Amino acid sequence: MKKPYLIFLPLLFLLILSCDSRKISQLTERIEELESENSKLQDSIVQTEYQKILGTQILGEFNKPHAKVNEEINLSLQFCNQKFYSTYEIFRIHGSGGDKKHELLINSTAGKFDYTFTPKNIADNRLRFVAVFDLDSIEIEIPANIGIKVIE
């Protein structure tokens, strides 16, 4: 009677080992897949950062409207990314309440645009804009309020 148990125990042991071996093999394959995906994601992140840096400009602004000889003037420098991945519309806002908008650009992806402005009088010294981004039905508005000294 002891002999059937002696044969059954090694078979049970081999069965358990083979199940563990299959599971280990499946886990090893999954780890390799995840490592491959991780490598692709890291490459994608590096490429995105590279493209972002290539689209960056340095903008400078002096603390005074003009400089004088032998007089110190401060300059602030700022990085500005010119690459947008979403389309946007840009509007010029008129009126004190901001309820009147004049569309300037539709579906633009450029990070920079030029605008020509002719003040009508000394009090006409503010330009207000709003950029509107539509991201999957979420509307994001980025305002700009720019002042300029107007002289006669």
Side-chain angles (χ1 to χ4, degrees), residues 10 19 23 25 29 37 43 49 51 54 71 73 78 81 85 93 97-98 110 113 117 129 137 147 151:
C19 288
K23 185 70 173 175
S25 176
E29 287 178 23
E37 286 180 30
D43 291 345
E49 285 297 309
Q51 291 299 325
L54 287 181
E71 187 176 300
I73 189 167
Q78 179 179 356
N81 192 332
Y85 301 111
I93 299 172
F113 69 94
F117 171 67
F129 301 94
S137 75
I151 58 175

Side-chain angles (χ1 to χ4, degrees), residues 88-112:
Y88 65 92
E89 297 176 325
I90 189 97
F91 299 90
R92 165 96 192 272
I93 299 172
H94 298 280
S96 59
D99 52 348
K100 297 178 186 174
K101 294 180 181 177
H102 176 261
E103 195 164 38
L104 301 176
L105 297 174
I106 302 172
N107 296 328
S108 181
T109 58
K112 179 182 177 185

Side-chain angles (χ1 to χ4, degrees), residues 93-142:
I93 299 172
H94 298 280
S96 59
D99 52 348
K100 297 178 186 174
K101 294 180 181 177
H102 176 261
E103 195 164 38
L104 301 176
L105 297 174
I106 302 172
N107 296 328
S108 181
T109 58
K112 179 182 177 185
F113 69 94
D114 295 319
Y115 180 75
T116 303
F117 171 67
T118 305
K120 295 178 179 61
N121 54 49
I122 291 177
D124 194 8
N125 61 356
R126 302 231 45 95
L127 296 166
R128 295 186 314 149
F129 301 94
V130 64
V132 179
F133 293 82
D134 186 11
L135 302 175
D136 293 330
S137 75
I138 298 171
E139 191 173 275
I140 301 171
E141 292 187 0
I142 299 176

Side-chain angles (χ1 to χ4, degrees), residues 48-57 80-86 88 109-112 133:
T48 300
E49 285 297 309
Y50 177 76
Q51 291 299 325
K52 183 179 174 183
I53 291 170
L54 287 181
T56 300
Q57 294 178 338
C80 181
N81 192 332
Q82 296 299 310
K83 296 251 181 186
F84 286 96
Y85 301 111
S86 301
Y88 65 92
T109 58
K112 179 182 177 185
F133 293 82

Side-chain angles (χ1 to χ4, degrees), residues 16-39:
I16 291 171
L17 277 178
S18 69
C19 288
D20 285 345
S21 139
R22 272 187 262 143
K23 185 70 173 175
I24 290 171
S25 176
Q26 290 173 346
L27 289 173
T28 303
E29 287 178 23
R30 183 65 179 144
I31 288 171
E32 290 172 0
E33 289 173 9
L34 291 172
E35 286 175 341
S36 174
E37 286 180 30
N38 189 34
S39 176

Side-chain angles (χ1 to χ4, degrees), residues 56-63 73-81:
T56 300
Q57 294 178 338
I58 298 176
L59 301 177
E61 178 182 18
F62 290 101
N63 66 329
I73 189 167
N74 292 328
L75 173 65
S76 295
L77 298 170
Q78 179 179 356
F79 290 106
C80 181
N81 192 332

